[in-house]
Amino acid sequence: MSFLETDHLMKFFDRFCALDHASLHVEKGSVYGLVGPNGAGKSTIIKHLTGVYKPDDGTVTLDGEPVYENPAAKARMMYIPDNLYYFQQASTRDMMKFYQGIYPNFSTERYEKLKDIFSNIKEKQNIRRLSKGMQKQVAFWLAVCTNPDVLILDEPIDGLDPVMRKQVWNILLDDVAMRGTTVLISSHNLRELEDVCDHVGIMHKGKVLMEHSLSDLQGNISKIQIVFEHDLPEFSEQLPILHTTSVGRIHTLIMQCSAKTAEEMLSEYHPLLMDPLPLTLEEIFIYELGGNDYAVKELFLD
Ligand code: ADP
Ligand code: MG
């Protein structure tokens, strides 16, 4: 059983089926990217993971324990919803005091340290007067100070500028490295999560279509640039070539094997030059998981 999981989770809004046998598995200490187009059911599954919603059917468990109406499980998690809510009149400092009162592991020291990073936010200013992006920063700042076992972020970087995104990612990854925090982040765009996740789950129409460890995917697919003296040779059917593009005499092959295996196999054709190139997450998904699938394609729209 995974650390945090849903098993055949069902949710209906009236007769509309928002979650349709959704099964999701998050391992302890991983950074899990939950990706899917708008309306896929990401926020709905997150509200089940965090115990906001009661499952219509199926289960939601943290460390083997059901989450719904389980204060002990909920206390281990911190959740930043997509639509933030702040008290009227409250400043960041007020919220800090409030969090200090309700979260037993709240670290005031961490809060003070992070002031430098969030220096664009005046602590005593009313949060509701801050921009949407700044409000997200406040939510994130306070959330990491609660030192949760599980941090769940629903579309956290919407509205953040690239510099702030990078800083937020750094704080997050530091936490994962130092404390073994388990992180689940949702996004409608796979590219946004490229540099941070080690696992990716893809949702579409209320289902979790696929879940993958990125290192598994990366180890099983490679991109090789290759030059031959003459034309591209007739490769054996045995070679796991998924795709070829050519610009003049430079050919780029996508192969379903490790780069090392690809180079070994291709060296038998005596190329003049051969170089493995890094693959983007987008390429991995498109080639390995079937780029003709509309659900997968949609994830790369900006
Ligand atoms: P995502 O976060 O992936 O964009 P959501 O989980 O917010 O998607 O929504 C999934 C589907 O469920 C959408 O079609 C949405 O309209 C519907 N939905 C979500 N919340 C409600 C609700 N409270 N009442 C009725 N329909 C809802
Ligand atoms: Mg959502």
Side-chain angles (χ1 to χ4, degrees):
M1 185 176 241
S2 303
F3 183 56
L4 178 62
E5 71 170 46
T6 70
D7 187 47
H8 291 277
L9 183 59
M10 303 293 294
K11 180 70 179 179
F12 293 90
F13 293 112
D14 295 320
R15 262 181 294 168
F16 175 74
C17 181
L19 293 179
D20 183 8
H21 296 278
S23 299
L24 172 143
H25 308 83
V26 183
E27 300 308 326
K28 198 170 187 169
S30 69
V31 181
Y32 187 105
L34 182 63
V35 188
N38 290 324
K42 303 180 297 295
S43 296
T44 306
I45 206 169
I46 283 175
K47 283 180 182 144
H48 283 85
L49 290 170
T50 50
V52 177
Y53 285 159
K54 182 170 184 265
D56 286 339
D57 201 5
T59 58
V60 182
T61 52
L62 174 68
D63 234 351
E65 300 291 326
V67 172
Y68 187 71
E69 288 185 338
N70 179 351
K74 283 160 80 165
R76 300 176 67 182
M77 296 194 262
M78 183 67 202
Y79 160 48
I80 304 184
D82 52 348
N83 53 339
L84 296 169
Y85 172 81
Y86 289 107
F87 302 128
Q88 203 82 43
Q89 309 296 337
S91 68
T92 303
R93 187 138 197 107
D94 294 335
M95 285 308 287
M96 186 274 274
K97 296 274 180 204
F98 176 71
Y99 273 42
Q100 225 174 16
I102 58 172
Y103 291 100
N105 294 331
F106 192 89
S107 167
T108 313
E109 196 188 327
R110 185 105 205 262
Y111 174 85
E112 297 295 336
K113 267 196 194 148
L114 289 175
K115 256 189 206 172
D116 284 346
I117 290 178
F118 297 110
S119 58
N120 59 331
I121 294 165
K122 292 194 194 78
E123 248 193 319
K124 299 208 170 123
Q125 191 173 6
N126 184 341
I127 300 175
R128 290 196 178 188
R129 299 235 176 89
L130 302 173
S131 74
K132 191 171 162 256
M134 288 161 100
Q135 292 188 6
K136 288 244 168 186
Q137 289 175 45
V138 172
F140 185 79
W141 181 0
L142 295 169
V144 292
C145 293
T146 66
N147 285 318
D149 289 345
V150 182
L151 185 56
I152 296 183
L153 312 156
D154 197 357
E155 308 255 358
I157 51 181
D158 251 21
L160 292 192
D161 60 69
V163 176
M164 194 43 73
R165 270 183 203 196
K166 203 158 188 153
Q167 272 168 338
V168 164
W169 287 150
N170 283 342
I171 296 168
L172 212 66
L173 294 178
D174 271 357
D175 247 48
V176 174
M178 286 183 332
R179 303 187 49 252
T181 314
T182 305
V183 181
L184 181 136
I185 316 171
S186 75
S187 175
H188 56 276
N189 188 329
L190 184 53
R191 261 180 226 148
E192 288 189 341
L193 303 179
E194 178 142 48
D195 303 326
V196 283
C197 295
D198 45 48
H199 287 75
V200 170
I202 303 225
M203 279 196 85
H204 190 58
K205 294 189 176 158
K207 291 182 192 296
V208 179
L209 293 184
M210 50 182 107
E211 292 184 295
H212 281 285
S213 140
L214 292 189
S215 58
D216 286 355
L217 285 179
Q218 275 154 353
N220 195 38
I221 189 155
S222 52
K223 179 166 156 184
I224 312 281
Q225 212 161 58
I226 195 162
V227 178
F228 291 97
E229 194 171 352
H230 303 291
D231 289 345
L232 197 63
E234 287 267 330
F235 291 120
S236 149
E237 295 274 307
Q238 309 294 326
L239 259 57
I241 297 173
L242 296 175
H243 191 78
T244 311
T245 48
S246 305
V247 179
R249 282 204 302 161
I250 303 172
H251 311 284
T252 307
L253 308 179
I254 307 283
M255 295 178 63
Q256 194 155 33
C257 59
S258 70
K260 190 167 168 284
T261 309
E263 286 185 287
E264 279 166 15
M265 291 196 261
L266 292 167
S267 64
E268 293 182 15
Y269 296 86
H270 309 290
L272 290 179
L273 212 101
M274 179 162 61
D275 264 324
L277 299 177
L279 279 139
T280 63
L281 196 51
E282 180 173 354
E283 288 172 313
I284 293 174
F285 271 85
I286 286 186
Y287 292 118
E288 181 141 16
L289 306 173
N292 294 326
D293 189 322
Y294 183 67
V296 173
K297 268 198 179 148
E298 222 177 328
L299 303 174
F300 301 105
L301 297 177
D302 286 301

